């Protein structure tokens, strides 16, 4: 079968967040062991597996996401990458509805090549700063929020952009504080720079020390910064070494995530589930 590597939330190769994408034949998923083996072999933050669903239902494709070590409940960049492959190969036209562990997620392409994802907004619950988290992160939190089951992170607001950019956390120590990891964020120093807020994401519990660009994290960042800045539509910069931009639109219980994607590798996977 064809396997592709797609850089998501970027308009150029070797930036954004790379994801493996496999469009599967048939009407079901192979065994979890094979899916995990492929994701481990691809060795990017996520590999997406999708198969077509019968016409007339609530969704067009079933979609699952695996890191190199585990399956995850929600992934934005690999969903964007999958929608990009479906549209650029002519496999699907117009909005595509994905059946996932996080419900039906819709990806809508625009004429200019951008794709908008419709995801559930993360419920933010203020929590006390956990003992030791400042030491593990390497910075003193301004505020800390639980992001709910779908995202599974602690969102930690820091004092300023310089603090976020300068983080060098103890990844092993961070694993104690949430199901997936830590979203560190601050307001942009200069909104004229093209983004309203920035973030970095550290996910040691799913085998990713620092994720390049995290769509799911922006379902928590969007309500946080929209409340702070008083606007529903914002742009977030994920300040990883690869960097990426995510346009966020808060729509109550739903958050719109808009970005671009670029296919950088396409090849043949020989080790099928029956190999």
């Amino acid at each position: 079968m064809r396997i592709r590597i797609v850089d998501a939330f970027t308009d150029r190769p070797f930036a954004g967040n790379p994801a493996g994408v496999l469009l599967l034949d048939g009407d079901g998923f192979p065994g979890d062991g094979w899916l995990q083996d492929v994701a481990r072999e691809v060795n990017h933050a996520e590999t997406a597996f999708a198969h077509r669903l019968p016409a007339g239902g609530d969704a067009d494709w079933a979609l699952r996401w695996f890191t190199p070590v585990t399956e995850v409940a929600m992934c934005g960049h690999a969903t964007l990458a999958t929608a990009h492959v479906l549209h650029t190969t002519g496999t699907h036209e117009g909005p595509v509805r994905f059946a996932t562990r996080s419900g039906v997620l819709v990806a809508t392409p625009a004429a200019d090549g951008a794709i908008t994802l419709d995801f559930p907004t993360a419920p933010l619950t203020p929590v006390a700063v956990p003992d030791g988290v400042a030491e593990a992160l390497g910075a003193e939190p301004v505020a800390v929020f639980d992001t709910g089951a779908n995202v599974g992170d602690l969102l930690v607001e820091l004092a300023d952009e310089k603090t976020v950019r300068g983080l060098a956390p103890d990844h092993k120590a961070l694993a104690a504080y949430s199901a997936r990891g830590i979203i560190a964020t601050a307001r942009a120093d200069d909104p004229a720079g093209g983004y309203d807020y920035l973030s970095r994401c550290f996910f040691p519990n799913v085998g990713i020390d620092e994720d390049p660009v995290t769509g799911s994290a922006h379902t928590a960042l969007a309500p946080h910064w929209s409340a702070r800045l008083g606007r529903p539509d914002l742009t977030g910069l994920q300040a990883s070494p690869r960097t990426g931009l995510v346009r966020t639109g808060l729509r109550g219980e739903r958050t719109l995530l808009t970005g671009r994607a670029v296919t950088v590798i396409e090849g043949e996977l020989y080790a099928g589930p029956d190999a």
Side-chain angles (χ1 to χ4, degrees):
M1 67 192 73
R2 304 301 290 172
I3 184 168
R4 297 168 176 87
I5 305 297
V6 177
D7 289 345
F9 291 114
T10 182
D11 59 1
R12 58 187 176 87
F14 313 123
N17 201 352
V21 178
L22 282 87
L23 304 182
L24 303 167
D25 296 328
D27 57 0
F29 289 104
D32 288 4
W34 181 82
L35 298 174
Q36 190 65 72
D37 283 343
V38 173
R40 188 178 300 111
E41 191 79 4
V42 171
N43 201 34
H44 285 312
E46 266 88 15
T47 298
F49 302 89
H51 70 78
R52 196 187 302 270
L53 293 171
D58 293 334
D60 308 299
W61 289 76
L63 178 63
R64 296 171 70 182
W65 314 277
F66 285 77
T67 78
V69 300
T70 190
E71 185 173 9
V72 295
M74 187 168 67
C75 178
H77 87 276
T79 304
L80 179 64
T82 305
H84 169 79
V85 169
L86 289 171
H87 295 130
T88 57
T89 60
T91 307
H92 188 95
E93 295 184 359
V96 56
R97 301 167 299 167
F98 294 110
T100 78
R101 288 173 57 181
S102 296
V104 175
L105 307 177
V106 180
T108 303
D112 64 359
I115 295 173
T116 296
L117 309 177
D118 182 336
F119 271 41
T121 300
L124 298 182
T125 304
V127 297
V129 178
D131 290 341
V133 74
E135 292 77 12
L137 192 57
E140 192 66 39
V142 172
V144 179
F145 300 85
D146 180 87
T147 61
N150 281 343
V151 176
D153 300 327
L154 280 186
L155 188 153
V156 179
E157 183 181 347
L158 300 177
D160 52 33
E161 180 168 330
K162 180 180 178 181
T163 302
V164 173
R165 289 185 180 275
L167 291 174
D170 181 336
H171 297 287
K172 184 177 181 180
L174 286 182
Y177 295 105
S178 64
R180 184 172 69 166
I182 299 289
I183 306 166
T185 187
R187 184 173 181 169
D189 286 347
D190 179 12
Y195 55 95
D196 301 288
Y197 59 90
L198 78 161
S199 64
R200 291 175 66 189
C201 293
F202 309 104
F203 302 144
N205 285 329
V206 293
I208 306 166
D209 281 350
E210 180 166 5
D211 198 33
V213 191
T214 314
S216 59
H218 284 77
T219 67
L221 290 162
H224 178 75
W225 287 112
S226 287
R228 291 283 199 277
L229 301 177
R231 289 182 284 125
D233 298 325
L234 301 169
T235 298
L237 169 73
Q238 196 149 331
S240 68
R242 291 175 63 102
T243 73
L245 288 172
V246 183
R247 300 204 312 268
T248 56
L250 185 63
R251 303 293 185 268
E253 294 183 355
R254 309 297 295 184
T255 293
L256 305 181
L257 310 172
T258 300
R260 298 175 180 273
V262 181
T263 300
V264 293
I265 296 174
E266 182 175 351
E268 195 77 15
L269 176 65
Y270 291 105
D274 299 324

